[in-house]
Amino acid sequence: MTDITLAPIQPDQPSHLMATYGRQAISFVRGRGAYLYTEDGTEYLDALTGIAVCGLGHAHPVIAEAIAEQAATLVHTSNLFEIPWQTAAAQKLAEVSGMEEIFFSNSGAESNEGAIKIARKFGTQQGVTSPKIIVAEQSFHGRTLATLSATGNKKVQDGFAPLTNDFIRVPFGDVEAIQEAALQHPDIVAILIEPIQGEGGINTAPQGFSYLEEVRNICNQHNWLMMLDEIQTGNGRTGKYFAYQHTNIVPDVLTTAKGLGNGFPVGAVMTQGKAVGLLGPGSHGSTYGGTVLGSRVVYTVIDTIQKENAVENAAVVGGYIVDQLRAQLADKNVQVRGFGMMIGIQLPKDCGELVAIARDQHKLIINVTAGSVVRLLPPINMTQAQADDLLERLVALINNYL
Ligand SMILES: *Cc1c(COP(=O)(O)O)cnc(C)c1O
């Protein structure tokens, strides 16, 4: 072990970091399961897990051991060579997703870039010169140029024109708007949506998951690719391995990241059916995509999720949290929505300040998105006792606030 001690951060000390984030003045030095600790040992309950990333909790011993052992053996060779851990990770991911082909990337945005390239290739092969993709209002797909163009949030796009001209936007959940777009734009080749909008405020479509079935039908009718962004909803988060498994449909293209590595940066774009084979030799690549270490982490994360029955746990304990919140906050003007461990509490007013109040007064880490939605993304393997601990802190927080 090295013994480098970092000086504590002074708020008014100049920093060389680009100021792209609004950071809270706190840092954690250690984590264990659902809890985070500051240097002085103060314990915080983490209902955010690095924004739906550490689904199995912090410092999971099985994953920590896999990382340490592989780091001491071999971190990276190259996709110029066979990588047995990558093949094994793809096998696991195919098993839990029902998809056929998998390309490993390093982030969510990069996975969506792969999906957008697949859609363009699909269109080009049919002689469409400027292929278009339908996307939804309030969506979030990433911060690269193509994915910020796909994103339905002006703040994400502001100052970064020209946007790519791939995208046609419709209201989330509005099937008629999709059919209208089809009449107006003969160049549409795909639809890209989130099953539940995460950054947009934990939004499910008004008709629930049957929206996905309706979109699947439209895609079949027009020979479009159905592409789902499950970067946030995947890996057990909603009480199914992937959220579309709440339905009977399968998308043609599926992207994921966040929970796939439990904190290790990995992502994946997956295909099945008519999307298979569109990206052939030389058409896509990533130096870091599917390294030996990253692939072993993916394999171990999926294996651990399976062995711990963490997906079923997310459904049961997440359902309990939602039921309890609805019951205990019944006299408040709030709406509780979400599935599994992806939960939003819509407050009647903007409530960004709740993040600091929760942290300082209740030692609880939460997030507020879309202005007035308290977003909870606890570990998918959270225990019943931890869920009760969460409920106690959260109900006190909201009762004091409203
Ligand atoms: C987080 C997120 C992304 C972007 O992922 P990055 O790893 O930050 O690039 C894309 N889509 C959805 C739905 C997300 O939640």
Side-chain angles (χ1 to χ4, degrees):
M1 284 294 219
T2 49
D3 56 352
I4 300 170
T5 309
L6 299 178
I9 293 168
Q10 306 297 337
D12 35 13
Q13 188 182 306
S15 159
H16 294 284
L17 292 172
M18 211 174 268
T20 53
Y21 303 104
R23 294 180 198 273
Q24 299 175 47
I26 188 170
S27 83
F28 302 101
V29 295
R30 205 159 57 76
R32 197 73 182 170
Y35 296 90
L36 284 168
Y37 302 86
T38 50
E39 184 74 60
D40 66 3
T42 309
E43 182 180 88
Y44 292 79
L45 177 57
D46 185 10
L48 184 61
T49 58
I51 317 184
V53 168
C54 303
L56 290 169
H58 298 285
H60 192 291
V62 174
I63 295 157
E65 193 193 318
I67 292 174
E69 195 184 288
Q70 195 57 49
T73 306
L74 186 66
V75 170
H76 171 68
T77 56
S78 164
N79 285 307
L80 295 170
F81 308 106
E82 292 289 348
I83 302 172
W85 277 114
Q86 192 181 116
T87 311
Q91 165 77 38
K92 274 272 186 213
L93 198 48
E95 198 180 292
V96 293
S97 68
M99 304 301 279
E100 275 175 64
E101 279 188 335
I102 289 151
F103 177 89
F104 286 108
S105 63
N106 311 282
S107 70
E110 201 192 330
S111 305
N112 282 339
E113 286 279 340
I116 294 163
K117 280 180 72 173
I118 288 169
R120 282 193 178 186
K121 197 68 179 281
F122 179 69
T124 304
Q125 285 192 352
Q126 292 166 53
V128 178
T129 47
S130 183
K132 298 278 185 283
I133 302 168
I134 292 183
V135 289
E137 288 170 7
Q138 276 97 47
S139 64
F140 183 79
H141 297 297
R143 300 283 196 159
T144 61
L145 283 168
T147 61
L148 75 82
S149 302
T151 291
N153 179 344
K154 286 270 174 289
K155 273 195 273 179
V156 172
Q157 299 171 340
D158 196 29
F160 299 115
L163 305 181
T164 72
N165 68 352
D166 300 60
F167 303 104
I168 294 163
R169 200 167 303 285
V170 298
F172 185 60
D174 187 341
V175 178
E176 270 163 33
I178 298 174
Q179 293 288 25
E180 260 167 50
L183 292 175
Q184 282 171 24
H185 304 274
D187 286 352
I188 295 169
V189 298
I191 299 185
L192 172 66
I193 48 171
E194 298 156 83
I196 301 174
Q197 294 186 324
E199 305 305 303
I202 317 289
N203 304 323
T204 47
Q207 65 274 54
F209 286 122
S210 64
Y211 177 49
L212 300 183
E213 288 160 5
E214 292 163 8
V215 168
R216 178 72 267 182
N217 282 337
I218 297 173
C219 288
N220 293 349
Q221 190 189 331
H222 295 287
N223 190 34
W224 298 341
L225 294 179
M226 178 174 181
M227 312 203 295
L228 290 181
D229 176 344
E230 293 230 28
I231 287 159
Q232 191 161 152
T233 53
N235 306 290
R237 176 59 48 194
T238 73
K240 295 282 182 185
Y241 209 97
F242 286 98
Y244 77 79
Q245 292 162 346
H246 289 283
T247 73
N248 290 320
I249 61 106
V250 184
D252 302 301
V253 180
L254 177 69
T255 59
T256 196
K258 293 200 166 93
L260 184 63
N262 211 56
F264 196 88
V266 287
V269 53
M270 302 169 247
T271 59
Q272 68 85 36
K274 60 178 184 266
V276 167
L278 289 166
L279 296 184
S283 62
H284 198 45
S286 165
T287 300
Y288 288 142
T291 60
V292 185
L293 176 56
S295 299
R296 180 160 177 187
V297 171
V298 169
Y299 180 93
T300 309
V301 166
I302 299 173
D303 192 54
T304 306
I305 288 175
Q306 290 174 321
K307 286 186 175 142
E308 289 192 10
N309 291 320
V311 180
E312 296 76 7
N313 185 78
V316 173
V317 180
Y320 169 77
I321 293 171
V322 167
D323 289 347
Q324 286 296 312
L325 285 173
R326 285 184 181 145
Q328 296 187 39
L329 297 172
D331 59 336
K332 300 286 169 190
N333 184 15
V334 302
Q335 189 203 22
V336 182
R337 52 186 185 237
F339 284 84
M341 291 294 187
M342 185 169 183
I343 301 167
I345 310 169
Q346 173 76 62
L347 267 60
K349 58 177 182 182
D350 276 6
C351 61
E353 60 193 342
L354 273 182
V355 169
I357 301 172
R359 184 194 64 220
D360 297 341
Q361 293 180 22
H362 301 274
K363 302 287 177 270
L364 173 65
I365 303 301
I366 58 163
N367 170 253
V368 169
T369 191
S372 55
V373 180
V374 172
R375 178 166 55 161
L376 306 174
L377 300 161
I380 62 169
N381 62 356
M382 176 172 254
T383 63
Q384 181 76 31
Q386 290 168 343
D388 284 324
D389 182 5
L390 169 62
L391 283 163
E392 200 173 307
R393 297 182 203 216
L394 198 61
V395 169
L397 171 76
I398 292 173
N399 272 333
N400 288 347
Y401 188 66
L402 290 181

